[in-house]
Amino acid sequence: MGLFSKKPPCPICGGKISWFLPSKIEGQYICDTCYSKIDMDNDKKCNLTMQGFKEYLAFYDENQHLKSKFAVSEKIDFGIWDTKIIFDYQNKLFCMSKNPDKTVFEGKHLKSFIIKEDNIPLFEGSSEGIRCYTSTVPERAMALAPQIAQYMMSKQLARAIDKMDDGKENRTAPIQLFDIPEPFKAFNVELYLDHPYWTVIKCDMDGPRFSHEHPNVNDYIRDYQDSIKEIEKLVKALKTVAFPGTVEISVAFGTTSAQGVQKSVAPSVDPIEEIKRYKALMEEGIISQQEFEAKKKQLLGI
Ligand SMILES: [Zn+2]
């Protein structure tokens, strides 16, 4: 069939089929309006049959009702690619867009979520509770301070050499840009759903970057803390719509994780602070006295 030959109307709505690269389901052309309604996992989309598509459209129409009652209580901005998640606290809804124009999920659809810093868990949530892991990012950023100081010194030296002959900046001496990799690249957000059309939604929020010309650990940590505020907002919002009333548990990095975090990369921790933290967990009834005693002995090395 040629590009400009006449195509039969859309089997769903009878509308006109686009002349330019029209979409197909099971070999049949579908109009752009009908096709644009598809918002589901990619593998489900690839295997969509005509019957499945008709069923999906019924679901789509039903979902319109949730879209129309959606009242935005919170908006989380992921920065790059303009990814946003909006939440409706009253109706316990969320939607992966800046307006409720994509599939609206009910909080009960969310089974669990995990937020990682380059595959190292930072938050995990389910109906069993929210786990917050201690991040090693600030510590790892701090550890780069000597390298940064050295870079700044070599830059100053290059400037000084540059000015040596005539006292002017000639920019003849090449100044290298700072290119030490950051402690992590991105926060990876994964939402696991119990839903006919969605199994998992993944999106990334870029971590902070060092300035190539004026790298500075304090600037980095300040930017990191700003990102963490946004991530904490996201965790709170997910908890509000999906797991209200669950407890939040702080877990020291490397002590326990469903993801099997390697203990070998655990940072040195202040044992006294850790013991206080475990004592609080015991008092809240989250761990038993025996578990607390065992942890205490382990931390004190006795
Ligand atoms: Zn159509």
Side-chain angles (χ1 to χ4, degrees):
M1 201 185 276
L3 196 60
F4 297 100
S5 55
K6 194 153 170 50
K7 296 181 180 72
C10 172
I12 303 294
C13 69
K16 234 178 125 203
I17 302 292
S18 162
W19 65 270
F20 185 68
L21 300 176
S23 308
K24 274 186 194 176
I25 291 177
E26 280 193 300
Q28 289 192 62
Y29 289 117
I30 304 292
C31 80
D32 288 351
T33 313
C34 289
Y35 201 79
S36 70
K37 292 177 178 174
I38 300 180
D39 179 36
M40 62 175 77
D41 265 347
N42 255 337
D43 58 333
K44 291 197 165 80
K45 188 173 173 174
C46 293
N47 296 314
L48 200 59
T49 60
M50 191 56 89
Q51 180 57 32
F53 184 46
K54 283 176 185 161
E55 282 163 21
Y56 173 78
L57 288 172
F59 158 81
Y60 178 89
D61 287 341
E62 234 175 76
N63 204 254
Q64 292 299 109
H65 156 73
L66 296 180
K67 285 175 190 163
S68 61
K69 74 171 175 184
F70 203 109
V72 180
S73 328
E74 183 69 278
K75 186 180 278 192
I76 314 289
D77 203 329
F78 275 52
I80 201 150
W81 305 126
D82 214 27
T83 308
K84 288 185 171 61
I85 310 183
I86 45 171
F87 292 88
D88 171 348
Y89 288 162
Q90 176 123 43
N91 298 302
K92 304 243 181 301
L93 304 171
F94 65 100
C95 179
M96 304 294 296
S97 184
K98 58 184 165 188
N99 298 304
D101 50 5
K102 290 194 179 173
T103 303
V104 169
F105 297 98
E106 293 174 67
K108 65 181 182 195
H109 288 139
L110 188 69
K111 268 194 316 190
S112 65
F113 68 85
I114 179 159
I115 300 171
K116 297 182 275 191
E117 289 172 331
D118 284 358
N119 289 319
I120 300 176
L122 185 63
F123 287 101
E124 281 177 313
S126 70
S127 56
E128 282 162 26
I130 312 291
R131 280 171 182 273
C132 327
Y133 296 90
T134 311
S135 173
T136 60
V137 166
E139 206 165 329
R140 284 185 286 141
M142 235 95 96
L144 292 172
Q147 277 168 282
I148 291 174
Q150 202 171 24
Y151 165 79
M152 293 308 278
M153 263 166 65
S154 65
K155 204 168 131 172
Q156 271 178 2
L157 192 66
R159 284 231 174 91
I161 292 169
D162 184 51
K163 283 185 184 173
M164 235 183 234
D165 47 355
D166 54 4
K168 286 181 199 149
E169 264 195 58
N170 302 297
R171 296 187 183 273
T172 46
I175 296 174
Q176 287 212 320
L177 291 177
F178 184 75
D179 66 348
I180 304 285
E182 282 80 9
F184 80 114
K185 286 200 162 47
F187 295 100
N188 318 124
V189 178
E190 295 170 13
L191 310 179
Y192 292 91
L193 300 153
D194 189 6
H195 188 275
Y197 296 103
W198 288 95
T199 316
V200 60
I201 295 173
K202 292 185 183 185
C203 44
D204 289 349
M205 186 195 282
D206 271 357
R209 295 282 178 264
F210 282 117
S211 154
H212 286 310
E213 289 194 26
H214 307 283
N216 181 305
V217 171
N218 291 336
D219 290 350
Y220 179 88
I221 290 181
R222 199 195 49 230
D223 290 351
Y224 174 73
Q225 280 162 348
D226 286 346
S227 312
I228 285 289
K229 274 185 206 144
E230 200 68 7
I231 292 290
E232 282 173 346
K233 229 163 79 177
L234 174 62
V235 171
K236 188 182 147 254
L238 290 168
K239 183 177 183 276
T240 306
V241 298
F243 316 117
T246 54
V247 286
E248 271 190 41
I249 311 160
S250 285
V251 186
F253 188 81
T255 49
T256 169
S257 162
Q259 297 295 307
V261 179
Q262 287 170 359
K263 287 191 179 187
S264 57
V265 292
S268 54
V269 289
D270 178 0
I272 304 302
E273 281 308 309
E274 284 302 291
I275 291 167
K276 282 185 191 159
R277 208 200 305 234
Y278 280 101
K279 186 158 184 278
L281 288 177
M282 180 183 70
E283 282 162 3
E284 282 170 50
I286 295 164
I287 59 168
S288 70
Q289 176 143 19
Q290 282 106 316
E291 284 166 327
F292 168 70
E293 291 296 340
K295 202 72 216 176
K296 189 169 88 178
K297 278 185 186 160
Q298 190 199 333
L299 283 163
L300 292 172
I302 52 175

